[in-house]
């Protein structure tokens, strides 16, 4: 692995902790104006100080993040589908050249193992890894799970291992029972997505269980920006993932911040 690629990776997974809190705000690329991201600039501004990196599309980055902020960007480069169509029918939407122009620290590509367009999405990943290796750009593979797939260790382990075999430098997947099996079989660091919004304590438990079972961290979106107190929630997630706090200790942070600044409704 060359110097540039390792340098970029270390901006995402900080060597001091070996862990990472990635803030995912790329949902609009297939969902449109997702709840909580109607005004991405406002949402992102208050959360960035507590994130190690931001996962987003180039459109969101350009319009919602000041270049001077300096947050490492994990740039989503696959997409081209919407919730109205077959989601696995993705193409590469952003060139490596544009990723470099945006000073991305990594690029992200979804794979749909078992999906209708499995082969094309795995091809997207492999080609992006080839380009990433050429330019020193790490590639995060996102294991997207179709509605018909079960999110168990057997399926997720298969998807993660295939992504790693094709050369992904990091893999993002979902937490599941027997998660350690997924991590142990993957060969490269694994981060978890948060999934649909769940109660804050449950989301913290998910993050806690994931790092306990070998995850390098989280790439979490809705459970942070759809929280009643997004800033408190990202601080609490960070406390669990990076500071070794228990779920109860971290949840107290959420309760304290809610008490000081109760959520306002427009
Ligand atoms: C999904 O394909 C997107 O990449 C999201 O970034 C991902 O699902 C993580 O966000 P959440 O924690 O909301 O699931």
């Amino acid at each position: 692995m060359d110097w540039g690629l390792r340098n970029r990776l270390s901006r995402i997974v900080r060597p001091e902790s070996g862990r990472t809190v990635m803030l995912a705000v790329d949902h609009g690329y297939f969902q449109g104006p997702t709840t909580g991201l109607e005004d991405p600039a406002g949402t992102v501004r208050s959360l960035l100080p507590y994130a190690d990196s931001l996962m987003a599309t180039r459109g969101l980055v350009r319009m919602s993040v000041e270049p001077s902020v300096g947050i490492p960007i994990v740039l989503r480069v696959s997409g081209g589908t919407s919730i109205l169509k077959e989601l696995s029918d993705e193409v590469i939407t952003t060139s490596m050249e544009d990723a470099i122009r945006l000073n991305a620290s990594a690029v992200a590509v979804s794979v749909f193992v078992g999906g209708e367009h499995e082969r094309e999405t795995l091809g997207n990943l492999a080609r992006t890894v080839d380009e990433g290796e050429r330019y020193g750009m790490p590639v995060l593979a996102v294991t997207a799970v179709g509605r018909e797939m079960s999110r168990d260790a057997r399926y997720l382990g298969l998807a993660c291992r295939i992504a790693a075999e094709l050369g992904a430098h990091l893999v993002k997947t979902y937490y599941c029972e027997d998660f350690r099996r997924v991590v142990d079989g993957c060969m490269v660091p694994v981060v978890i997505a948060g999934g649909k919004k769940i109660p804050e304590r449950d989301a913290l438990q998910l993050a806690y269980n994931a790092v306990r079972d070998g995850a390098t961290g989280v790439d979490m979106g809705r459970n942070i920006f759809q929280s009643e107190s997004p800033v408190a929630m990202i601080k609490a997630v960070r406390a669990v993932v990076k500071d070794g706090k228990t779920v109860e200790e971290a949840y107290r942070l959420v309760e304290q911040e809610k008490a000081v600044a109760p959520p306002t409704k427009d």
Side-chain angles (χ1 to χ4, degrees), residues 23-27 29-31 55 76 90 108 110 112 142-144 151 172 174 192-197 219-226:
L23 175 62
V25 293
D26 60 324
H27 306 61
Y29 92 92
F30 69 102
Q31 290 188 175
M55 181 188 186
R76 169 166 283 281
E90 286 198 348
S110 287
F112 292 73
V142 178
T143 65
R151 294 185 185 189
K172 167 173 162 174
Y174 292 94
I192 61 145
K196 282 190 181 146
K197 172 80 174 70
D219 185 12
M220 195 176 267
R222 288 163 288 180
N223 278 289
I224 292 172
F225 62 72
Q226 291 178 353

Side-chain angles (χ1 to χ4, degrees), residues 36-180:
L37 289 180
E38 298 88 345
D39 165 28
T43 305
V44 161
R45 194 177 309 120
S46 59
L47 299 174
L48 283 188
Y50 311 101
D52 293 316
S53 65
L54 182 73
M55 181 188 186
T57 59
R58 66 176 161 193
L60 191 147
V61 171
R62 283 178 190 156
M63 301 310 293
S64 308
V65 185
E66 282 299 319
S68 56
V69 168
I71 184 86
I73 301 294
V74 178
L75 191 67
R76 169 166 283 281
V77 300
S78 75
T81 55
S82 80
I83 45 172
L84 304 179
K85 297 281 233 180
E86 168 54 43
L87 283 178
S88 71
D89 196 11
E90 286 198 348
V91 293
I92 296 300
T93 52
T94 305
S95 67
M96 192 58 71
E97 189 185 20
D98 214 28
I100 292 165
R101 193 177 295 123
L102 280 165
N103 197 29
S105 294
V107 294
V109 175
S110 287
V111 294
F112 292 73
V113 172
E116 198 175 321
H117 296 275
E118 173 188 89
R119 189 172 68 91
E120 291 86 346
T121 62
L122 292 175
N124 289 341
L125 172 63
R127 280 191 303 282
T128 305
V129 171
D130 279 341
E131 284 196 57
E133 296 282 350
R134 198 174 305 139
Y135 295 104
M137 182 70 75
V139 179
L140 167 71
V142 178
T143 65
V145 183
R147 271 194 208 92
E148 65 287 1
M149 308 290 170
S150 58
R151 294 185 185 189
D152 59 17
R154 192 160 174 226
Y155 171 74
L156 295 173
L158 172 78
C160 289
R161 179 57 176 262
I162 290 172
E165 296 273 354
L166 294 182
H169 305 94
L170 273 175
V171 174
K172 167 173 162 174
T173 194
Y174 292 94
Y175 185 72
C176 62
E177 204 174 306
D178 205 10
F179 185 69
R180 194 165 280 282

